[in-house]
């Protein structure tokens, strides 16, 4: 397994090296609009099973928890102008539900192993109303929720911060490796808070 994994990483690395030789215009990491577009392009190109939600555990330890969340339509990222939201679901009896009820602050990372790219949305998740949850429900959800819609809950994440790395177009040259990062403004737009430069 380890050898197979190393081979996959090697193939991805070779792809990135090939891309580096052909990249004409890297993303201007001082332009929030360019960074936002690049981040959303990465999210849309990421496989639906490659999104990881991080929460705070509700067992009193205060430690982190993480799990994969499916992003197949109608779930996943939605965009209206500069407003970004992400839909996901969880079972009412799950640990994730408990954690989200206790602390809605989350991080959702999209990782694309084919391009060595990732985008992390940081913000607050809120549970949708039963009416909106019913609108999202699809019969294929029964694969995960055998007792039907009464077992599942739908949530929306509203990102406040977006971090993005996509070698070679968007990467940090800082000693602390802080990624390129944009933050939502009070007016609803986005501003660069870290351009990845030293």
């Amino acid at each position: 397994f380890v050898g197979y994994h190393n081979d996959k990483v090697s193939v991805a690395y070779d792809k990135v090296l090939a891309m580096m030789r052909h990249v004409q215009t890297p993303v201007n990491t001082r332009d929030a609009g360019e960074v936002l577009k690049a981040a959303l392009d990465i999210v849309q190109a990421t496989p639906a099973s490659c999104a990881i939600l991080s929460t705070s555990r509700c067992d009193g330890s205060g430690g982190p928890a993480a799990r994969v969340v499916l992003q197949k339509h109608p779930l996943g990222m939605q965009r209206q102008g500069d407003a970004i939201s992400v839909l996901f679901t969880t079972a009412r009896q799950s640990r994730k539900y408990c954690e989200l009820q206790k602390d809605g602050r989350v991080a959702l990372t999209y990782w694309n192993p084919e391009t060595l790219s990732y985008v992390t949305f940081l913000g607050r998740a809120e549970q949708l109303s039963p009416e909106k949850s019913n609108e999202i429900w699809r019969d294929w959800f029964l694969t995960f929720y055998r007792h039907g819609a009464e077992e599942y809950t739908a949530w929306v994440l509203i990102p406040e911060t977006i971090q993005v790395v996509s070698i070679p177009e968007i990467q940090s040259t800082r000693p602390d490796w802080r990624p390129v990062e944009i933050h939502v403004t009070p007016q609803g737009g986005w501003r660069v808070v870290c351009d990845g430069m030293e």
Side-chain angles (χ1 to χ4, degrees):
F1 176 79
V2 172
Y4 173 78
H5 177 72
N6 288 341
D7 288 344
K8 294 284 283 185
V9 172
S10 178
V11 168
Y13 184 70
D14 289 342
K15 285 183 181 179
V16 170
L17 289 179
M19 290 165 55
M20 290 177 72
R21 289 193 289 269
H22 293 92
V23 170
Q24 301 296 323
T25 26
V27 172
N28 178 4
T29 57
R30 294 178 178 172
D31 184 319
E34 281 197 34
V35 174
L36 179 63
K37 180 182 183 305
L40 301 187
D41 286 346
I42 291 169
V43 168
Q44 290 176 336
T46 298
S49 59
C50 291
I52 301 169
L53 183 75
S54 299
T55 56
S56 297
R57 290 165 60 179
C58 60
D59 60 4
S61 69
R67 74 278 288 161
V68 172
V69 289
L70 187 64
Q71 292 287 274
K72 180 180 177 181
H73 181 78
L75 309 176
M77 184 194 67
Q78 320 284 324
R79 179 180 187 181
Q80 291 186 335
D82 282 338
I84 309 299
S85 61
V86 183
L87 296 177
F88 63 94
T89 66
T90 190
R92 199 175 299 276
Q93 302 300 322
S94 69
R95 290 167 299 146
K96 180 170 42 176
Y97 181 83
C98 171
E99 291 159 0
L100 291 167
Q101 287 280 12
K102 185 174 182 180
D103 188 347
R105 295 174 297 173
V106 301
L108 180 62
T109 299
Y110 294 84
W111 158 243
N112 191 332
E114 294 297 320
T115 59
L116 300 186
S117 303
Y118 77 81
V119 173
T120 299
F121 292 151
L122 299 103
R124 185 170 292 277
E126 297 179 355
Q127 186 174 353
L128 296 181
S129 68
E131 293 76 21
K132 289 191 176 295
S133 297
N134 288 335
E135 291 176 11
I136 295 170
W137 175 263
R138 299 291 188 273
D139 286 344
W140 62 264
F141 286 9
L142 288 168
T143 304
F144 308 98
Y145 307 103
R146 290 176 295 173
H147 299 293
E150 67 273 9
E151 183 183 3
Y152 110 114
T153 60
W155 295 73
V156 60
L157 163 62
I158 307 298
E160 299 168 359
T161 299
I162 299 175
Q163 299 174 338
V164 55
V165 171
S166 182
I167 301 170
E169 290 106 332
I170 309 171
Q171 57 184 324
S172 177
T173 59
R174 294 167 53 100
D176 62 1
W177 282 39
R178 182 180 177 184
V180 174
E181 187 173 303
I182 57 176
H183 192 87
V184 71
T185 67
Q187 295 76 30
W190 295 87
R191 65 182 178 88
V192 176
V193 293
C194 179
D195 62 9
M197 305 294 183
E198 293 187 56

